[in-house]
mmCIF file of all heavy atoms in Angstrom:
data_model
loop_
_atom_site.group_PDB
_atom_site.id
_atom_site.type_symbol
_atom_site.label_atom_id
_atom_site.label_comp_id
_atom_site.label_asym_id
_atom_site.label_seq_id
_atom_site.Cartn_x
_atom_site.Cartn_y
_atom_site.Cartn_z
ATOM 1 N N ILE A 335 17.957 -5.504 -1.979
ATOM 2 C CA ILE A 335 18.809 -4.977 -3.095
ATOM 3 C C ILE A 335 20.269 -4.899 -2.600
ATOM 4 O O ILE A 335 21.234 -5.176 -3.330
ATOM 5 C CB ILE A 335 18.294 -3.545 -3.477
ATOM 6 C CG1 ILE A 335 16.962 -3.720 -4.225
ATOM 7 C CG2 ILE A 335 19.297 -2.881 -4.493
ATOM 8 C CD1 ILE A 335 16.299 -2.366 -4.518
ATOM 9 N N ILE A 336 20.507 -4.448 -1.301
ATOM 10 C CA ILE A 336 21.868 -4.320 -0.804
ATOM 11 C C ILE A 336 22.526 -5.682 -0.666
ATOM 12 O O ILE A 336 23.662 -5.889 -1.057
ATOM 13 C CB ILE A 336 21.785 -3.625 0.530
ATOM 14 C CG1 ILE A 336 21.302 -2.148 0.462
ATOM 15 C CG2 ILE A 336 23.095 -3.646 1.261
ATOM 16 C CD1 ILE A 336 21.002 -1.399 1.648
ATOM 17 N N LYS A 337 21.656 -6.671 -0.233
ATOM 18 C CA LYS A 337 22.282 -8.066 -0.132
ATOM 19 C C LYS A 337 22.560 -8.555 -1.448
ATOM 20 O O LYS A 337 23.668 -9.222 -1.675
ATOM 21 C CB LYS A 337 21.208 -8.969 0.509
ATOM 22 C CG LYS A 337 21.036 -8.785 1.938
ATOM 23 C CD LYS A 337 19.991 -9.706 2.538
ATOM 24 C CE LYS A 337 19.780 -9.547 4.057
ATOM 25 N NZ LYS A 337 18.855 -10.512 4.622
ATOM 26 N N SER A 338 21.811 -8.324 -2.485
ATOM 27 C CA SER A 338 22.085 -8.780 -3.921
ATOM 28 C C SER A 338 23.424 -8.117 -4.426
ATOM 29 O O SER A 338 24.162 -8.804 -4.974
ATOM 30 C CB SER A 338 21.002 -8.480 -4.793
ATOM 31 O OG SER A 338 19.723 -9.087 -4.372
ATOM 32 N N LEU A 339 23.524 -6.771 -4.203
ATOM 33 C CA LEU A 339 24.821 -6.086 -4.557
ATOM 34 C C LEU A 339 25.954 -6.719 -3.893
ATOM 35 O O LEU A 339 27.061 -6.872 -4.447
ATOM 36 C CB LEU A 339 24.644 -4.605 -4.299
ATOM 37 C CG LEU A 339 23.594 -3.911 -5.168
ATOM 38 C CD1 LEU A 339 23.462 -2.400 -4.706
ATOM 39 C CD2 LEU A 339 24.052 -3.952 -6.598
ATOM 40 N N GLY A 340 25.793 -6.981 -2.512
ATOM 41 C CA GLY A 340 26.968 -7.662 -1.778
ATOM 42 C C GLY A 340 27.326 -8.995 -2.311
ATOM 43 O O GLY A 340 28.426 -9.375 -2.388
ATOM 44 N N ASN A 341 26.300 -9.832 -2.683
ATOM 45 C CA ASN A 341 26.585 -11.154 -3.270
ATOM 46 C C ASN A 341 27.268 -11.066 -4.589
ATOM 47 O O ASN A 341 28.222 -11.805 -4.886
ATOM 48 C CB ASN A 341 25.294 -11.907 -3.421
ATOM 49 C CG ASN A 341 24.625 -12.278 -2.041
ATOM 50 O OD1 ASN A 341 25.297 -12.360 -1.117
ATOM 51 N ND2 ASN A 341 23.368 -12.471 -2.090
ATOM 52 N N ILE A 342 26.936 -10.025 -5.427
ATOM 53 C CA ILE A 342 27.544 -9.825 -6.670
ATOM 54 C C ILE A 342 29.043 -9.438 -6.495
ATOM 55 O O ILE A 342 29.873 -9.933 -7.203
ATOM 56 C CB ILE A 342 26.774 -8.805 -7.543
ATOM 57 C CG1 ILE A 342 25.389 -9.322 -7.868
ATOM 58 C CG2 ILE A 342 27.607 -8.376 -8.752
ATOM 59 C CD1 ILE A 342 24.552 -8.194 -8.523
ATOM 60 N N TYR A 343 29.241 -8.670 -5.494
ATOM 61 C CA TYR A 343 30.623 -8.190 -5.241
ATOM 62 C C TYR A 343 31.524 -9.374 -4.727
ATOM 63 O O TYR A 343 32.669 -9.525 -5.028
ATOM 64 C CB TYR A 343 30.547 -7.012 -4.313
ATOM 65 C CG TYR A 343 31.964 -6.585 -3.866
ATOM 66 C CD1 TYR A 343 32.828 -5.840 -4.688
ATOM 67 C CD2 TYR A 343 32.415 -6.835 -2.548
ATOM 68 C CE1 TYR A 343 34.081 -5.519 -4.327
ATOM 69 C CE2 TYR A 343 33.712 -6.478 -2.152
ATOM 70 C CZ TYR A 343 34.521 -5.824 -3.003
ATOM 71 O OH TYR A 343 35.711 -5.428 -2.602
ATOM 72 N N LEU A 344 30.848 -10.102 -3.742
ATOM 73 C CA LEU A 344 31.599 -11.161 -3.128
ATOM 74 C C LEU A 344 31.826 -12.446 -3.856
ATOM 75 O O LEU A 344 32.673 -13.306 -3.546
ATOM 76 C CB LEU A 344 30.969 -11.501 -1.759
ATOM 77 C CG LEU A 344 31.030 -10.316 -0.651
ATOM 78 C CD1 LEU A 344 30.218 -10.777 0.527
ATOM 79 C CD2 LEU A 344 32.531 -10.027 -0.351
ATOM 80 N N LEU A 345 30.844 -12.696 -4.920
ATOM 81 C CA LEU A 345 30.954 -13.946 -5.661
ATOM 82 C C LEU A 345 32.347 -14.194 -6.297
ATOM 83 O O LEU A 345 32.862 -15.400 -6.103
ATOM 84 C CB LEU A 345 29.843 -13.913 -6.747
ATOM 85 C CG LEU A 345 29.734 -15.250 -7.526
ATOM 86 C CD1 LEU A 345 29.363 -16.455 -6.632
ATOM 87 C CD2 LEU A 345 28.579 -15.084 -8.469
ATOM 88 N N PRO A 346 32.969 -13.262 -6.894
ATOM 89 C CA PRO A 346 34.275 -13.474 -7.569
ATOM 90 C C PRO A 346 35.400 -13.882 -6.401
ATOM 91 O O PRO A 346 36.273 -14.617 -6.725
ATOM 92 C CB PRO A 346 34.673 -12.215 -8.191
ATOM 93 C CG PRO A 346 33.392 -11.589 -8.466
ATOM 94 C CD PRO A 346 32.503 -11.920 -7.296
ATOM 95 N N VAL A 347 35.246 -13.243 -5.190
ATOM 96 C CA VAL A 347 36.058 -13.561 -4.141
ATOM 97 C C VAL A 347 35.952 -15.000 -3.731
ATOM 98 O O VAL A 347 36.935 -15.765 -3.501
ATOM 99 C CB VAL A 347 35.833 -12.552 -2.949
ATOM 100 C CG1 VAL A 347 36.785 -12.988 -1.762
ATOM 101 C CG2 VAL A 347 36.042 -11.122 -3.397
ATOM 102 N N TYR A 348 34.700 -15.449 -3.542
ATOM 103 C CA TYR A 348 34.524 -16.900 -3.142
ATOM 104 C C TYR A 348 35.039 -17.800 -4.225
ATOM 105 O O TYR A 348 35.616 -18.806 -3.885
ATOM 106 C CB TYR A 348 32.965 -17.118 -2.969
ATOM 107 C CG TYR A 348 32.413 -16.299 -1.823
ATOM 108 C CD1 TYR A 348 31.038 -15.927 -1.844
ATOM 109 C CD2 TYR A 348 33.134 -16.234 -0.644
ATOM 110 C CE1 TYR A 348 30.529 -15.272 -0.735
ATOM 111 C CE2 TYR A 348 32.544 -15.574 0.445
ATOM 112 C CZ TYR A 348 31.256 -15.102 0.393
ATOM 113 O OH TYR A 348 30.678 -14.401 1.510
ATOM 114 N N ARG A 349 34.865 -17.484 -5.475
ATOM 115 C CA ARG A 349 35.342 -18.379 -6.547
ATOM 116 C C ARG A 349 36.868 -18.330 -6.528
ATOM 117 O O ARG A 349 37.530 -19.405 -6.732
ATOM 118 C CB ARG A 349 34.857 -17.793 -7.970
ATOM 119 C CG ARG A 349 33.390 -18.059 -8.194
ATOM 120 C CD ARG A 349 32.984 -17.484 -9.518
ATOM 121 N NE ARG A 349 31.581 -17.748 -9.821
ATOM 122 C CZ ARG A 349 30.923 -17.229 -10.859
ATOM 123 N NH1 ARG A 349 31.533 -16.433 -11.692
ATOM 124 N NH2 ARG A 349 29.673 -17.577 -11.066
ATOM 125 N N GLY A 350 37.497 -17.254 -6.180
ATOM 126 C CA GLY A 350 38.947 -17.185 -6.137
ATOM 127 C C GLY A 350 39.446 -18.194 -5.046
ATOM 128 O O GLY A 350 40.471 -18.854 -5.213
ATOM 129 N N PHE A 351 38.789 -18.114 -3.885
ATOM 130 C CA PHE A 351 39.186 -18.977 -2.811
ATOM 131 C C PHE A 351 38.942 -20.450 -3.183
ATOM 132 O O PHE A 351 39.793 -21.400 -2.865
ATOM 133 C CB PHE A 351 38.349 -18.706 -1.508
ATOM 134 C CG PHE A 351 38.911 -17.545 -0.731
ATOM 135 C CD1 PHE A 351 38.092 -16.440 -0.589
ATOM 136 C CD2 PHE A 351 40.187 -17.522 -0.189
ATOM 137 C CE1 PHE A 351 38.564 -15.326 0.138
ATOM 138 C CE2 PHE A 351 40.657 -16.394 0.470
ATOM 139 C CZ PHE A 351 39.878 -15.340 0.598
ATOM 140 N N ALA A 352 37.832 -20.769 -3.863
ATOM 141 C CA ALA A 352 37.472 -22.145 -4.236
ATOM 142 C C ALA A 352 38.547 -22.659 -5.232
ATOM 143 O O ALA A 352 38.874 -23.830 -5.139
ATOM 144 C CB ALA A 352 36.069 -22.253 -4.866
ATOM 145 N N THR A 353 38.987 -21.892 -6.099
ATOM 146 C CA THR A 353 39.882 -22.288 -7.169
ATOM 147 C C THR A 353 41.407 -22.164 -6.709
ATOM 148 O O THR A 353 42.335 -22.698 -7.293
ATOM 149 C CB THR A 353 39.829 -21.561 -8.397
ATOM 150 O OG1 THR A 353 40.017 -20.174 -8.187
ATOM 151 C CG2 THR A 353 38.414 -21.826 -9.071
ATOM 152 N N GLY A 354 41.618 -21.522 -5.532
ATOM 153 C CA GLY A 354 42.927 -21.346 -4.941
ATOM 154 C C GLY A 354 43.795 -20.262 -5.648
ATOM 155 O O GLY A 354 44.956 -20.253 -5.515
#
Side-chain angles (χ1 to χ4, degrees):
I335 292 173
I336 294 172
K337 287 181 178 179
S338 299
L339 292 174
N341 291 335
I342 292 172
Y343 173 75
L344 293 174
L345 186 58
V347 179
Y348 292 147
R349 287 178 177 173
F351 281 119
T353 58

